[in-house]
């Protein structure tokens, strides 16, 4: 009995220690990213995501990787890989709402990117996929801070789909429900 208890305590300490290391490495990556040193930031984010996949911050590391590839490097394929990792393995995490917003942005990607970072495809299937991903955020995560952004992107997407009335409804909801955002 005592041996099993000490092994269990030892495993709990190791797990807590791994989580602490993962947290520190995530913060290290964020610090490098703020400095513009994305090579080192990615090393830290990948270390967390791949070496500590069961840590409480692995989803956050994948989100940082996705943000880098979507917003900095302009590599939608790499961004999609990171977004898929979040939505498949960490679907209920705090990173999932932002991943759905990115999935919507990726679905609407076209060759020419707009200055706001929301490149536009006017293909109906792409617009429908984008709409679905943006719409998931308020449906699945109504209290997420990503809700206003998802509604804004949803309004934009509906506008480009020619659904002006629906688009205005979502855009008005953003200004009415989230005036400080």
């Amino acid at each position: 009995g005592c041996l099993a208890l000490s092994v269990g305590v030892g495993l709990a300490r190791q797990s807590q220690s791994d989580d602490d290391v993962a947290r520190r490495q995530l913060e290290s990556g964020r610090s490098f990213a703020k400095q513009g040193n994305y090579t080192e930031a990615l090393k830290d984010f990948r270390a967390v995501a791949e070496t500590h996949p069961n840590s409480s911050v692995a989803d956050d590391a994948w989100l940082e990787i996705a943000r880098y590839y979507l917003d900095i490097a302009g590599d939608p394929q790499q961004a999609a890989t990171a977004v898929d990792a979040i939505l498949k393995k960490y679907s209920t995490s705090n990173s999932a709402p932002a991943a759905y917003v990115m999935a919507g942005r990726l679905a609407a990607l076209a060759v020419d990117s707009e200055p706001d970072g929301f490149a536009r495809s006017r293909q109906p299937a792409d617009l429908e996929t984008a709409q679905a991903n943006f719409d998931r955020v308020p449906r699945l995560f109504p209290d997420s801070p990503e809700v206003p952004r998802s509604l804004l992107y949803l309004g934009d997407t509906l506008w480009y789909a020619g659904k002006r009335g629906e688009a205005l409804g979502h855009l008005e909801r953003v200004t009415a429900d989230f005036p400080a955002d």
Side-chain angles (χ1 to χ4, degrees), residues 30 38 95:
R30 286 177 172 161
Y38 297 109
S95 298

Side-chain angles (χ1 to χ4, degrees), residues 66-89:
R67 281 185 179 134
Y68 166 75
Y69 282 115
L70 184 58
D71 296 329
I72 306 297
D75 186 336
Q77 289 179 324
Q78 288 288 338
T81 298
V83 166
D84 286 346
I86 296 167
L87 295 178
K88 286 180 182 164
K89 187 165 183 180

Side-chain angles (χ1 to χ4, degrees), residues 94-118:
N94 64 317
S95 298
Y100 278 117
V101 170
M102 283 190 223
R105 289 176 60 200
L106 287 163
L109 276 176
V111 177
D112 298 321
S113 184
E114 298 291 322
D116 65 1
F118 183 69

Side-chain angles (χ1 to χ4, degrees), residues 10-160:
L11 289 175
R13 280 194 194 124
Q14 181 181 359
S15 166
Q16 183 179 13
S17 174
D18 285 347
D19 206 63
D20 290 342
V21 169
R23 279 184 194 286
R24 286 193 300 272
Q25 195 146 29
L26 176 68
E27 288 310 314
S28 174
R30 286 177 172 161
S31 179
F32 282 125
K34 284 179 188 167
Q35 298 165 15
N37 188 344
Y38 297 109
T39 301
E40 294 304 317
L42 275 176
K43 285 180 187 176
D44 282 341
F45 297 147
R46 287 198 183 283
V48 173
E50 295 166 6
T51 308
H52 306 282
N54 297 320
S55 70
S56 64
V57 294
D59 62 305
D60 298 299
W62 279 114
L63 186 61
E64 295 293 348
I65 292 167
R67 281 185 179 134
Y68 166 75
Y69 282 115
L70 184 58
D71 296 329
I72 306 297
D75 186 336
Q77 289 179 324
Q78 288 288 338
T81 298
V83 166
D84 286 346
I86 296 167
L87 295 178
K88 286 180 182 164
K89 187 165 183 180
Y90 309 101
S91 61
T92 60
S93 72
N94 64 317
S95 298
Y100 278 117
V101 170
M102 283 190 223
R105 289 176 60 200
L106 287 163
L109 276 176
V111 177
D112 298 321
S113 184
E114 298 291 322
D116 65 1
F118 183 69
R120 290 165 175 67
S121 167
R122 291 188 174 68
Q123 299 299 317
D126 295 335
L127 291 172
E128 286 175 16
T129 300
Q131 288 171 40
N133 281 304
F134 296 139
D135 205 19
R136 281 186 178 99
V137 176
R139 285 183 185 187
L140 301 176
F141 306 95
D143 299 326
S144 169
E146 291 294 321
V147 169
R149 222 162 55 110
S150 71
L151 292 173
L152 179 64
Y153 281 135
L154 179 57
D156 280 352
T157 304
L158 290 165
W159 187 269
Y160 283 98

